[in-house]
Amino acid sequence: MRSKKRILSGMRPTGPLHLGNLHGALINWVEMQDPYDCFFFIADWHALTSDYENPGAITGYVDEMMIDWLSAGLDPEKSTLFLQSLVPEHAELFLFLSMITPVPWLERNPTYKDQIVQIDNKDLSTFGFLGYPVLQAADIIMYKANGVPVGIDQVPHVEITREIARRFNFLYGDVFPEPEAILTQTAKILGLDRRKMSKSYSNAIYLSDTPDVIAKKVAQMITDPQRMRRTDPGNPDVCNVFEFHKIYSDPATTQTIHHQCRHAQIGCVECKQIMAGNLIKAMAPLHERRAHFKAKPALVKEIIASGSQKARAVARQTMDQVRAAIKIKA
């Protein structure tokens, strides 16, 4: 019997991590390390579902992602941090689950339907892309996770996993718990252009950006589009820079900026400079840790290898139970 409930989540290594990743996931993961038994993995096989034509880039981002995780505060002494492809049992469980998962369950997946329409520069008409929720289910139930930390838009992903686990248990006996979606609170972080922060839009502030780069990017941020001149009153409620002030500036500064903007007592350039300074200050501890791990590539690789060995030990036990349940010998 585990003393703590277990959670599992992962990220695809398709590019450098940015502030959206930090506030959308990493900060929550760090806070969960003490109350939960945490398994966090780099989903390199998942990345192949859409980036199969350029696998070398995926490999190149693995170590960088782990460095960002460690810099944000994930601790290999508290959490199991591992690489999906170093635990081949994921592929075996995926195979078994694919045998029992109805195709209509996958075709109705909202993410699948949305991405087929939105991503028009890649051929996504592959079995791997259609079946990625099955691999995702294998990732989660392999470790008998009690919960998966997600935003509200990702709840359907967890529900498919619950359905697959329920179907397996119905056919072969109770092996897997049905994981719950753990809704996480996230700060509102948009990109420089007020769209979702994404490397695809070239509108992101990355965790690896230096202070000079951060300052230059903040200077490009869109503010109140109706404020044409310095003497025009602004509306902080529609200003992306002010949203960042809410996160990175202290309450007194934020209140002052709000008042000054509405009464044309501060210009957008000065407002951005103040926010950039506070953002850089807030990121300083992360940048310090990042420099530490960046200078020790062997240590980063050892953390990945050690965490993957720990994860695989759990995965082997699960697969022994799975094979016994479906009466397949190892």
Side-chain angles (χ1 to χ4, degrees):
M1 181 67 67
R2 297 195 295 253
S3 60
K4 297 179 180 178
K5 288 187 175 182
R6 179 172 291 171
I7 63 170
L8 178 136
S9 193
M11 290 184 184
R12 304 193 317 157
T14 57
L17 298 188
H18 50 66
L19 292 182
N21 302 124
L22 179 66
H23 289 276
L26 285 176
I27 289 176
N28 285 309
W29 290 6
V30 170
E31 292 176 349
M32 289 177 166
Q33 289 185 112
D34 289 325
Y36 291 98
D37 177 20
C38 297
F39 281 64
F40 300 123
F41 71 101
I42 298 175
D44 53 341
W45 281 347
H46 272 296
L48 286 170
T49 60
S50 58
D51 291 352
Y52 56 84
E53 293 182 311
N54 189 22
I58 295 171
T59 302
Y61 285 125
V62 167
D63 288 1
E64 286 295 308
M65 176 168 281
M66 183 57 69
I67 289 172
D68 283 336
W69 285 8
L70 297 169
S71 302
L74 289 183
D75 185 346
E77 298 297 322
K78 295 181 178 181
S79 299
T80 301
L81 311 177
F82 66 101
L83 180 63
Q84 184 183 34
S85 61
L86 291 182
V87 187
E89 286 76 11
H90 284 235
E92 184 181 7
L93 183 54
F94 166 61
L95 174 65
F96 291 145
L97 297 181
S98 70
M99 302 299 182
I100 67 170
T101 303
V103 171
W105 289 7
L106 305 177
E107 291 177 331
R108 74 172 187 240
N109 175 18
T111 301
Y112 172 74
K113 292 187 290 187
D114 289 346
Q115 292 196 344
I116 284 290
V117 173
Q118 294 178 8
I119 303 178
D120 57 4
N121 62 337
K122 297 178 182 179
D123 180 9
L124 298 181
S125 57
T126 63
F127 168 73
F129 188 75
L130 175 65
Y132 90 85
V134 184
L135 178 57
Q136 188 174 60
D139 298 330
I140 297 168
I141 67 177
M142 177 72 78
Y143 302 96
K144 300 186 178 181
N146 303 104
V148 184
V150 293
I152 188 66
D153 59 323
Q154 296 172 309
V155 170
H157 298 186
V158 181
E159 186 54 39
I160 292 178
T161 296
R162 289 170 55 83
E163 290 178 336
I164 293 174
R166 192 179 305 127
R167 183 168 173 84
F168 184 97
N169 291 342
F170 174 78
L171 292 170
Y172 306 117
D174 289 338
V175 174
F176 298 113
E178 294 180 26
E180 300 284 347
I182 301 176
L183 294 178
T184 55
Q185 298 296 320
T186 59
K188 182 181 179 182
I189 289 284
L190 296 177
L192 306 179
D193 55 3
R194 285 193 61 81
R195 292 185 294 174
K196 178 181 178 181
M197 187 173 287
S198 170
K199 65 180 180 62
S200 301
Y201 297 151
S202 300
N203 68 349
I205 296 175
Y206 296 107
L207 305 189
S208 56
D209 283 343
T210 64
D212 287 345
V213 171
I214 291 174
K216 290 179 181 178
K217 288 185 174 181
V218 170
Q220 301 168 13
M221 290 179 70
I222 292 177
T223 55
D224 178 358
Q226 300 301 316
R227 190 180 188 191
M228 307 301 294
R229 294 175 294 274
R230 167 68 172 77
T231 54
D232 293 338
N235 181 4
D237 296 334
V238 300
C239 176
N240 197 25
V241 176
F242 188 71
E243 292 299 325
F244 277 72
H245 272 297
K246 292 179 183 178
I247 300 170
Y248 292 107
S249 297
D250 61 75
T253 299
T254 303
Q255 186 175 4
T256 299
I257 292 291
H258 186 278
H259 175 83
Q260 291 177 332
C261 178
R262 286 197 176 278
H263 294 84
Q265 295 173 354
I266 189 172
C268 294
V269 172
E270 184 182 356
C271 177
K272 290 178 180 180
Q273 290 173 343
I274 294 171
M275 193 280 288
N278 291 333
L279 171 56
I280 291 167
K281 181 179 179 180
M283 293 292 289
L286 185 150
H287 286 158
E288 183 177 350
R289 292 191 295 268
R290 198 177 196 286
H292 169 78
F293 288 109
K294 186 72 173 177
K296 298 183 177 182
L299 174 60
V300 174
K301 291 184 182 300
E302 172 56 29
I303 289 172
I304 294 174
S306 178
S308 300
Q309 288 177 357
K310 182 179 177 182
R312 193 172 187 193
V314 177
R316 284 171 171 162
Q317 293 178 352
T318 299
M319 290 312 300
D320 286 343
Q321 295 176 321
V322 169
R323 294 188 206 102
I326 60 178
K327 298 178 174 57
I328 295 288
K329 294 183 178 180

